[in-house]
Amino acid sequence: MSDTRLTVTLDGGGIDDARAIVRALEGVFGAPDGRPADEGATVHTATFDAADARHTPDASSAPTPGGALSAPVTVTVQGTPQAVEAASETLSRAFTARNEGAASGDQERERQLLLVP
């Protein structure tokens, strides 16, 4: 994985849920390499260029619009510590989120969140 990439893996929910989650992240990271498009997929992946990440508002800012989810979605974000933190904060403002764990390496971090309707 490139050191400027943020990879987001979505498991659960439907295509509209995946698209809502990606839209919420676009406000910070810009457009991903591709948007979830396969209606029949059970896992969706989006990759963002974290080098282009915009300033993340603090927790007192208004929520990032995400939309309502139809089912719980497990989201795994992987990238630089700063990108993972920005993605986690953004998703926690946009949706009801529960931290399901994190792992840190030398130069990258991974965090799993459960987003619920």
Side-chain angles (χ1 to χ4, degrees):
M1 179 175 84
S2 168
D3 61 352
T4 62
R5 307 301 268 167
L6 176 73
T7 302
V8 180
T9 305
L10 311 164
D11 183 12
I15 187 74
D16 291 333
D17 298 323
R19 289 176 180 156
I21 293 165
V22 168
R23 270 194 311 273
L25 292 169
E26 286 178 333
V28 175
F29 296 100
D33 287 349
R35 289 181 174 76
D38 185 354
E39 297 277 341
T42 57
V43 175
H44 299 277
T45 302
T47 304
F48 295 88
D49 186 350
D52 291 338
R54 293 151 181 85
H55 172 70
T56 305
D58 63 34
S60 65
S61 297
T64 302
L69 299 177
S70 67
V73 178
T74 300
V75 179
T76 304
V77 291
Q78 181 181 21
T80 64
Q82 297 83 2
V84 168
E85 190 61 31
S88 298
E89 288 176 13
T90 299
L91 293 173
S92 293
R93 282 192 314 274
F95 304 98
T96 301
R98 184 172 70 211
N99 187 354
E100 295 285 295
S104 295
D106 287 344
Q107 308 214 358
E108 69 180 31
R109 181 174 292 162
E110 180 178 294
R111 179 170 291 152
Q112 192 170 72
L113 300 168
L114 178 63
L115 306 182
V116 294

